[in-house]
Amino acid sequence: MIVSRAPVRFSLGGGGSDLPSYASQHGGFLVAAAIDKHIFVAINSRFYDTIRLAYSHTEIVDRVDQIQHRLFREALRFTGISRGVELVSIADLPANSGLGSSSSFTVALLNALHAYKGEFVSSEQLAREACHIEMDILKEPIGKQDQYISAYGGVTAFTFEKDGAVHVERLPVKLEVLDELERNLLVFYSGVERAASDVLVQQREVIKKNEDSAVQRMHRIKELGYETKRLLLEGDVDRYGDLLHEHWTNKRKLAAKMTDPTIDEHYEAARKAGALGGKLIGAGGGGFFMFYARPGDRRAVSDALVRRGLKPLRFRFDFDGARIVANFHRS
């Protein structure tokens, strides 16, 4: 048996500028952080020649093209594994929660399949192959942030070139700054699960048509990515809280499905309790909130959100990225 894991992520600044509708025309830049919540994929040889998959459902099939789960099917097809295996996936967090779990699953799955074949693959290859499966083969309306931060881990800056190339820069943020950022970021689950594609398709069309100055808003969001990098390297963490608020005021206007009255009420309750800023992580429409609050305000913000029924998420940053955590397979 082989066990693979890959982390999910927070987008710290510039999120959305990796989407092809924007990056292919203007280039993108963002800062993301992997966290210690993971997607696990286990693979084992199967006595029978069939393929067994266990996730929220169970599938036992004779051929790869019979698989219903699209990512399992295309990853097996891509790696050329066609029979006699069992694959199981387990997640620390729910799907459709804005933390890039689908791409983390793809990265973990590909790493497991390559290890099963006795192949070592780099972070760059894992990220590139995950993007190919999700974006080129399955035509998902997503960007490249989630695959790359899951593969590389850490607090990392990504530059997305117009031609599709991705440049990766692990940020040398001081440990005391990372500790302060971890303490002051409050993450809460809204209780709403949504498919990112619903929001991203709408956002893509808004950007293409430049409705309500959408491209200009994206330019500013990208600039906030650069400012996030600068503030983290300088250690000015409180100023980052102000950036979060500006990011959200721009992002929430990019798609009608980005927010709703209940989400807005949660946000305003946190701000009234002392949060400097915050946002929904990921495409929007539900999933996890991330707020920034100074030490003296953290308890009040947390209490205000708990009273509204939101569930807190404790986390630490993850610097391992995708990795094989157990390998008992004999080729």
Side-chain angles (χ1 to χ4, degrees):
M1 176 181 289
I2 295 170
V3 180
S4 168
R5 81 176 189 194
V8 298
R9 60 93 184 105
F10 296 160
S11 179
L12 297 179
S17 67
D18 60 317
L19 295 174
S21 56
Y22 179 81
S24 64
Q25 299 298 314
H26 309 283
F29 179 88
L30 61 82
V31 178
I35 64 168
D36 63 346
K37 301 296 179 279
H38 300 90
I39 308 297
F40 296 86
V41 174
I43 183 170
N44 197 32
S45 297
R46 186 166 167 78
F47 180 78
Y48 302 103
D49 279 342
T50 53
I51 300 169
R52 182 180 184 273
L53 308 175
Y55 49 106
S56 56
H57 302 284
T58 300
E59 298 187 50
I60 300 176
V61 299
D62 295 316
R63 303 188 313 275
V64 170
D65 59 9
Q66 295 174 323
I67 295 172
Q68 297 298 308
H69 192 292
R70 302 198 310 158
L71 291 172
F72 270 127
R73 182 183 67 238
E74 298 307 328
L76 283 165
R77 183 177 287 157
F78 180 80
T79 54
I81 297 173
S82 59
R83 59 178 183 155
V85 293
E86 182 169 7
L87 286 153
V88 179
S89 71
I90 300 173
D92 286 334
L93 296 173
N96 298 323
S97 57
L99 301 183
S101 58
S102 292
S103 295
S104 296
F105 168 79
T106 308
V107 169
L109 174 59
L110 284 167
N111 209 15
L113 294 173
H114 281 298
Y116 184 80
K117 295 175 66 178
E119 300 170 348
F120 170 81
V121 288
S122 65
S123 299
E124 170 62 29
Q125 182 176 342
L126 282 175
R128 190 169 8 94
E129 290 181 353
C131 289
H132 174 65
I133 287 173
E134 294 185 281
M135 300 173 69
D136 299 334
I137 296 176
L138 294 176
K139 307 298 182 184
E140 293 290 346
I142 59 176
K144 297 182 177 181
Q145 170 192 193
D146 297 349
Q147 302 88 341
Y148 271 82
I149 188 60
S150 185
Y152 280 91
V155 177
T156 307
F158 299 98
T159 301
F160 304 94
E161 301 290 358
K162 296 178 185 179
D163 63 1
V166 181
H167 303 294
V168 181
E169 179 188 6
R170 177 70 65 86
L171 297 183
V173 184
K174 294 179 180 178
L175 290 178
E176 57 267 29
V177 175
L178 292 175
D179 289 342
E180 183 179 3
L181 185 62
E182 281 182 348
R183 289 194 301 268
N184 293 353
L185 288 178
L186 303 175
V187 180
F188 283 81
Y189 184 51
S190 68
V192 178
E193 297 181 13
R194 89 290 173 266
S197 58
D198 294 342
V199 181
L200 293 176
V201 167
Q202 187 180 58
Q203 183 176 334
R204 178 181 64 193
E205 296 308 310
V206 167
I207 292 172
K208 283 183 177 180
K209 297 175 183 177
N210 197 22
E211 295 177 7
D212 193 25
S213 301
V215 173
Q216 286 68 34
R217 294 187 187 282
M218 286 304 306
H219 288 340
R220 181 54 186 155
I221 287 173
K222 181 170 65 174
E223 289 174 6
L224 293 175
Y226 287 113
E227 291 185 35
T228 297
K229 174 185 174 181
R230 178 178 60 81
L231 293 175
L232 292 179
L233 293 178
E234 293 176 355
D236 191 355
V237 182
D238 281 352
R239 172 68 183 124
Y240 173 68
D242 296 325
L243 287 190
L244 272 181
H245 181 62
E246 185 179 352
H247 180 99
W248 176 241
T249 57
N250 280 281
K251 179 178 177 178
R252 68 187 304 278
K253 297 178 182 179
L254 288 172
K257 295 180 180 180
M258 190 75 68
T259 186
D260 61 33
T262 300
I263 288 172
D264 289 340
E265 288 171 9
H266 291 327
Y267 187 87
E268 291 307 316
R271 289 270 289 171
K272 185 176 181 180
L276 293 181
K279 65 172 184 173
L280 281 172
I281 304 173
F288 282 88
F289 279 105
M290 180 173 70
F291 293 101
Y292 183 95
R294 296 187 180 100
D297 298 318
R298 289 199 302 258
R299 176 62 65 85
V301 173
S302 181
D303 289 347
L305 294 171
V306 169
R307 284 196 298 269
R308 294 184 63 82
L310 277 67
K311 183 177 180 179
L313 175 71
R314 297 182 182 275
F315 74 93
R316 300 294 301 271
F317 294 130
D318 174 287
F319 293 91
D320 291 334
R323 60 179 298 187
I324 300 298
V325 295
N327 191 340
F328 304 107
H329 178 61
R330 295 180 178 177
S331 301

